[in-house]
Amino acid sequence: MRSPARPLTTGLRALLAATVAAAGLTATVVAAPPASAATTVDGLTQATAAASCWEIKQLNGSAPSGQYWILTPQLKVPTRIYCDQTTDGGGWALIGRGRENWTYNYDGLGTPAEVAGTVSGTGAFAPRQLGAATVTALMGGKRIDDPTYGSGVRLRRATDQAGATWQESRWTFRSDSRDRWTWAFGAGLPLASFTIGGGSGAEATTRNVGTDDAFQRIWTAEDAANGYTRGFTYGSQVTGSTSASSYIYSKNAGGVYGVPFTQVYLRPKLMSSQLSFASVPNAGTAAETIRAAPRSGALATSWGVTGLGAGGTAETAGEVQAFAQIGGTVYVGGNFTTVQKGASASGSDVVSQPYLAAFDATTGDYLRSFTPRLDNQVKSLAALPNGKLAVGGEFTSVDGSARKGLVVLDPQSGALDASWTTNLVNKLTGGIVSVRGLDVGGSYLYLTGAFTHFTRPDGSERYAKGGARINLSTGVVDTAWNPDFNGTGTAVDASDDGSAVYFSGYFTTMRGGAAADRAAAISTASGAAKVADWQPTFSTAGSARYQQAVKQVGGKVWLGGSQHSMFSYDPSTFALENAHITKDGGDLQAITGGNGLVFGGCHCEQWNYSDTTQFDTTSPGSTSTTWSQADKIYYVGAWDARTGDYAPEFTPEMRARQGRGAWALMVASDGTLWAGGTMTSAVKENGANQWVGGFARFAVRPHTAPSRPSNLAVSVSGTTSQLTWSGSAPSGGTFEVLRNDRVIGLTTANQLSVAGASSGDRFAVRAADGWGNRSASTAVVGPPAGSVTTVPVVTAGSTWSYLVDNTVAVPSTWRTPTFDASGWRTGTAALGWGTGAIATNVDVPSGSTRPLTSYFRKQVTVRNAAALTSLVLTTRADDGIAVYVNGTEVGRSNLPAGTLTAGTYATSAQSTATATASPVSWDVPTSLIGSNGAVTIAVEVHSNYRLTPSMSMDLTLTGTS
């Protein structure tokens, strides 16, 4: 088997160039868009990629286990997959393998080539997993939980440390939630049934399933009991070893909770005839780009913030609580005392700069010229239209001047803006002023927090409680606009259209005693009236009902807070639109938007459960679920701003002091996401862990299309089409060569040889980077006129001999050229019975028993057969069909492997309309034609059951010369 090019798949970025020979090329012709030319489907080359490992096994019962090329419309390009063609009838696709340290992340681990290339042995112990999008694409648009097209999840686990014995297990997903693949098994995906070795059961979850505490146990959750090891762990009675060569690993003393080397398989039961690839327009394909999500790996960190200041150690007093950007500077505010470079910094790399510091927006380097001196924590920041920086928090002094809760600073030096002299007062119990939220809307600065009054230098006092707005031109609070909340506000956001301001917090009423249940939408018109009666949904009936973050992003208002809720609402009606719960872990603490995404920060380090408002039903061990999908989350998650769906491709891996997570988020002008809180480490793009001081940065993924190739030319040399084009392959990317409706080759060169030239071929070339961005393709080009001639050998509607009789035994020689079929009846195709366009009804008389198998024969003579370069046979499977040319089987569909008899049932039932709409095709070796051009075509059609209401047969055989 030849060494392949590494295929590009969604979420994975590794490509291996394939170099091909060049030839002199000449004229080009734009071809009209005919039906796709048929090709051999054996999975041995990119051009002959199969729909599944299952199809390969069905078409060739002797196909060995090994690496094959698989292609579905969702995969987009042929992808190298290891197929187990032995176990339980074969057809199993390996999607992951390894011992300990599997990932829950959407992108998996490694490349498809790595998954398929090393499938067993100690060299396979380090896990490699296909990205979740690739696994989903292997299903060809079918649901993961659809038993019609799959056999559930198969786990093959070592049962001894030497790797000499193995165990087979199966999971079948419950049919209410597994529309796409996820590796987040520890979240407790609901199972309909399971078998583990000799044990079985139902209504379990992937988190912890089994019938004993030994070998009939599969535990995927991280827990103290198993040393927080990720894998497909046995029970506590199975011992492992820390040895690098042991097939069962254990991190715990005594070797308990052994983690075995495991292979994970799926079996998509797809045939090429079931797939529908989009036809390529004559002008070529359009460009494709991925959404601009951040990279999951953090940018390299040099500077950060550390130490806890006067704000104390409360959960709401983390190191980083606010970001703002002005020009090329990002300002970081919080409860920190020190700015330092690296985890073990000393000397000039440790700077006392408490509560507020500035960093270069591009490099992240500390900017020493910005030196404000505050005496307590900063909780909110806002860039003002005049280029100044508004700062809110719990401070009482700035640069030696008495300033409570709110100041405006020079963005270069940090000096006080003398024109802003307003101070805040809190006359409630405790008396601490806290400005927790700032946002600019129109000509006002809106703020929220804990305060009741504003004072001016002249001693005048203005009442504004929990929420207020300050005129940006005068610096004076607007007393005609006072929400008058009865509790502390936590966040404020001016609406995109300027008509409303959204608040979140601990309050329950507002101005005039009107209900405002921890969230409010207030008109920007004078009087601060409610825009609508917004009654948020709460995830629990308990007392923890506060909300901590609110933000409009696009057409949704997002509200996050207690009991781990991240919900979106319609800004017109405030009806609930999307609901997500993060668990285990906790509350949502920050929300921002950018690049078509919504970002939420939380003290959550486990799972995001989609489409549920019920906190209590997201227990990972519960089989009673109200959620639709579970994905991994580490303190920061992303959601699609338009649909509200979770965006699992962004899975940053971080650690945070005391697990308190992210309290501040900002998308910078260059698309980089800044995530701050109590962060202590983050995994970089290369997989290495690094120290971070309070915040990490995540650059946006490439999301623009590569340059379009040009000057595609095609010529034919013998039976091979020679293609050349202009342009450069993207760095880390490739050219994708399309023939008719699918990709049949990947290369970094500007040329490709394509076997099996046909006059109907339609070629196009596009460029693809390693992320899933694709250029528009070249216009479609066909072979030069006259270089390939189509030769009709058998046309549709031809006359056939047939035998449909349950009382006649058919000898094994019926398919050979010498068999005498003169006693058979003849008729014009399509032949059959029931629905559809039937030219000849071949049904048995009423009262007779239909046979399971119907037989058809036709003999033709091909003139100048030696000039033929290829033959393509196209027919339908209604229900199952096998075709022979001069006694040799050339293809079968919807039939089991092995010897066929008159009593063999088709593997599935299809209507005539369905079978006609999904023809099956096979390449026929020209060597099968007799020396005198004689061709005998023999066809056997098998029904799925004797009372089937329809059966039909028609066939074409077309050659090229």
Side-chain angles (χ1 to χ4, degrees):
M1 194 171 295
R2 122 176 91 173
S3 178
R6 180 179 293 172
L8 168 67
T9 56
T10 305
L12 298 173
R13 309 184 299 277
L15 295 162
L16 183 64
T19 303
V20 295
L25 305 181
T26 55
T28 63
V29 174
V30 175
S36 301
T39 59
T40 300
V41 176
D42 56 19
L44 298 180
T45 68
Q46 294 175 1
T48 61
S52 65
C53 297
W54 172 261
E55 178 175 50
I56 293 167
K57 187 65 174 180
Q58 298 309 297
L59 298 180
N60 179 8
S62 61
S65 297
Q67 299 180 49
Y68 293 90
W69 291 102
I70 304 299
L71 178 62
T72 68
Q74 292 72 26
L75 281 173
K76 297 184 181 292
V77 296
T79 302
R80 199 70 151 164
I81 299 294
Y82 178 84
C83 300
D84 175 358
Q85 305 292 33
T86 303
T87 305
D88 189 24
W92 294 97
L94 181 70
I95 62 172
R97 50 76 178 163
R99 197 176 64 171
E100 76 281 4
N101 297 327
W102 290 67
T103 187
Y104 296 130
N105 293 4
Y106 181 82
D107 278 342
L109 280 172
T111 67
E114 290 173 327
V115 175
T118 306
V119 301
S120 61
T122 57
F125 282 4
R128 291 293 180 265
Q129 302 163 243
L130 294 181
T134 300
V135 179
T136 301
L138 285 172
M139 293 298 297
K142 311 300 181 183
R143 290 176 61 96
I144 292 291
D145 56 15
D146 187 344
T148 304
Y149 295 98
S151 302
V153 179
R154 172 186 162 218
L155 304 175
R156 181 175 182 260
R157 299 191 293 173
T159 54
D160 67 89
Q161 294 185 30
T165 57
W166 298 82
Q167 177 198 79
E168 289 285 336
S169 301
R170 301 285 192 276
W171 286 343
T172 59
F173 289 122
R174 215 167 62 191
S175 60
D176 59 355
S177 56
R178 299 283 72 76
D179 58 333
R180 61 173 171 83
W181 182 259
T182 175
W183 285 108
F185 293 148
L189 313 182
L191 298 176
S193 63
F194 67 88
T195 61
I196 304 175
S200 63
E203 290 298 311
T205 78
T206 57
R207 181 180 178 88
N208 194 346
V209 56
T211 60
D212 64 17
D213 203 24
F215 287 100
Q216 291 187 27
R217 172 69 50 187
I218 302 173
W219 189 12
T220 64
E222 297 174 272
D223 193 272
N226 67 358
Y228 297 102
T229 303
R230 297 181 199 168
F232 297 88
T233 307
Y234 288 122
S236 62
Q237 299 175 23
V238 177
T239 59
S241 166
T242 58
S243 169
S245 61
S246 174
Y247 278 75
I248 303 180
Y249 168 83
S250 181
K251 186 177 181 179
N252 291 301
V256 296
Y257 293 104
V259 185
F261 173 76
T262 304
Q263 296 170 328
V264 182
Y265 291 90
L266 289 182
R267 183 160 63 179
K269 295 183 177 180
L270 299 175
M271 305 295 284
S272 294
S273 59
Q274 298 170 322
L275 304 182
S276 178
F277 290 83
S279 61
V280 178
N282 282 344
T285 60
E288 301 175 26
T289 57
I290 61 173
R291 59 185 169 193
R295 303 171 190 243
S296 293
L299 288 168
T301 291
S302 55
W303 289 90
V305 300
T306 64
L308 292 177
T313 61
E315 183 176 1
T316 56
E319 289 87 330
V320 176
Q321 299 175 56
F323 293 113
Q325 181 178 6
I326 298 175
T329 302
V330 169
Y331 302 89
V332 178
N335 187 38
F336 58 87
T337 62
T338 306
V339 178
Q340 71 180 52
K341 186 176 183 179
S344 56
S346 62
S348 63
D349 288 339
V350 179
V351 182
S352 175
Q353 179 58 51
Y355 309 120
L356 182 61
F359 299 84
D360 186 280
T362 301
T363 65
D365 290 339
Y366 173 53
L367 301 179
R368 297 175 184 267
S369 60
F370 183 79
T371 58
R373 309 303 293 185
L374 293 83
D375 68 344
N376 210 320
Q377 62 180 326
V378 170
K379 303 190 78 66
S380 54
L381 297 169
L384 300 182
N386 65 358
K388 301 295 182 67
L389 178 68
V391 182
E394 296 182 357
F395 47 85
T396 61
S397 172
V398 180
D399 289 344
S401 297
R403 290 289 190 273
K404 270 193 175 182
L406 178 67
V407 292
V408 173
L409 303 180
D410 180 273
Q412 301 300 319
S413 65
L416 276 169
D417 185 331
S419 65
W420 280 71
T421 56
T422 298
N423 272 316
L424 284 76
V425 177
N426 185 359
K427 295 188 177 183
L428 297 177
T429 302
I432 296 175
V433 170
S434 179
V435 176
R436 296 185 59 169
L438 293 171
D439 194 36
V440 174
S443 59
Y444 293 96
L445 173 66
Y446 292 89
L447 59 156
T448 192
F451 50 82
T452 59
H453 295 75
F454 288 73
T455 62
R456 297 285 289 168
D458 61 5
S460 62
E461 191 173 83
R462 297 169 184 248
Y463 177 64
K465 183 182 175 186
R469 71 182 184 186
I470 297 174
N471 189 302
L472 288 170
S473 61
T474 65
V476 177
V477 66
D478 181 359
T479 56
W481 195 91
N482 179 12
D484 195 12
F485 294 122
N486 71 337
T488 300
T490 56
V492 61
D493 179 54
S495 70
D496 293 347
D497 65 3
S499 66
V501 183
Y502 308 114
F503 289 88
S504 63
Y506 295 85
F507 48 79
T508 57
T509 65
M510 59 173 290
R511 186 174 185 172
D517 197 359
R518 284 83 170 187
I522 299 176
S523 171
T524 56
S526 182
K530 287 200 300 184
V531 171
D533 289 324
W534 182 7
Q535 177 53 60
T537 299
F538 294 98
S539 62
T540 180
S543 59
R545 293 164 68 89
Y546 53 87
Q547 301 295 341
Q548 298 188 129
V550 65
K551 184 72 174 178
Q552 181 179 7
V553 184
K556 299 176 186 290
V557 177
W558 290 83
L559 183 66
S562 64
Q563 297 306 84
H564 316 186
S565 61
M566 178 68 170
F567 297 167
S568 81
Y569 298 85
D570 184 303
S572 299
T573 65
F574 290 94
L576 180 69
E577 290 194 334
N578 303 102
H580 302 269
I581 299 289
T582 58
K583 189 178 177 180
D584 291 349
D587 301 340
L588 265 293
Q589 298 156 173
I591 301 174
T592 195
N595 296 329
L597 293 169
V598 181
F599 299 97
C602 51
H603 64 267
C604 49
E605 195 187 3
Q606 293 293 332
W607 322 109
N608 178 80
Y609 294 95
S610 295
D611 302 316
T612 181
T613 62
Q614 300 179 37
F615 171 82
D616 294 330
T617 67
T618 56
S619 172
S622 173
T623 59
S624 177
T625 59
T626 60
W627 44 273
S628 66
Q629 188 60 276
D631 295 286
K632 186 62 178 173
I633 187 171
Y634 297 93
Y635 301 124
V636 179
W639 290 261
D640 186 278
R642 182 181 61 83
T643 66
D645 294 336
Y646 192 66
E649 68 266 34
F650 176 55
T651 317
E653 188 164 353
M654 294 181 283
R655 293 293 181 267
R657 180 180 56 80
Q658 295 184 300
R660 291 177 176 176
W663 287 83
L665 298 169
M666 183 192 72
V667 177
S669 58
D670 64 357
T672 298
L673 175 68
W674 293 60
T678 65
M679 309 317 188
T680 58
S681 68
V683 174
K684 294 189 291 186
E685 190 76 4
N686 63 5
N689 199 37
Q690 66 174 337
W691 170 87
V692 298
F695 64 91
R697 300 176 301 130
F698 300 89
V700 67
R701 303 185 302 175
H703 54 280
T704 57
S707 298
R708 182 182 189 178
S710 59
N711 301 323
L712 175 62
V714 181
S715 68
V716 176
S717 176
T719 62
T720 300
S721 294
Q722 306 285 353
L723 281 64
T724 62
W725 58 90
S726 301
S728 299
S731 177
T734 187
F735 290 113
E736 298 177 354
V737 179
L738 296 96
R739 179 170 63 186
N740 303 317
D741 60 0
R742 65 199 66 191
V743 175
I744 51 88
L746 307 174
T747 178
T748 57
N750 294 86
Q751 55 196 17
L752 190 69
S753 298
V754 180
S758 169
S759 61
D761 281 341
R762 306 173 68 249
F763 293 104
V765 178
R766 65 191 179 203
D769 64 15
W771 291 86
N773 300 298
R774 293 176 166 82
S775 73
S777 78
T778 63
V780 170
V781 174
S787 62
V788 180
T789 302
T790 300
V791 180
V793 179
V794 177
T795 59
S798 296
T799 299
W800 292 77
S801 300
Y802 67 91
L803 177 65
V804 183
D805 192 332
N806 199 45
T807 65
V808 178
V810 180
S812 60
T813 58
W814 74 274
R815 61 179 72 102
T816 64
T818 57
F819 177 76
D820 181 8
S822 59
W824 291 18
R825 296 182 178 182
T826 60
T828 301
L831 304 101
W833 65 74
T835 60
I838 302 297
T840 302
N841 186 346
V842 301
D843 201 3
V844 298
S846 178
S848 301
T849 302
R850 285 178 181 154
L852 275 177
T853 306
S854 306
Y855 300 92
F856 305 87
R857 280 174 56 92
K858 183 172 185 63
Q859 292 183 308
V860 296
T861 300
V862 181
R863 295 183 180 181
N864 196 20
L868 290 181
T869 59
S870 66
L871 279 169
V872 176
L873 187 148
T874 301
T875 185
R876 63 185 71 167
D878 187 12
D879 295 319
I881 190 169
V883 182
Y884 309 85
V885 173
N886 284 344
T888 298
E889 182 177 338
V890 296
R892 67 172 69 183
S893 179
N894 286 351
L895 288 173
T899 303
L900 300 175
T901 69
T904 299
Y905 290 86
T907 56
S908 64
Q910 297 195 94
S911 68
T912 297
T914 299
T916 303
S918 303
V920 292
S921 298
W922 301 284
D923 284 348
V924 177
T926 57
S927 59
L928 293 181
I929 301 175
S931 58
N932 58 352
V935 176
T936 297
I937 304 169
V939 180
E940 53 184 300
V941 176
H942 295 248
S943 297
N944 182 252
Y945 56 102
R946 292 184 187 276
L947 296 179
T948 180
S950 63
M951 184 279 291
S952 66
M953 196 286 296
D954 198 357
L955 179 153
T956 64
L957 182 63
T958 303
T960 57
S961 66

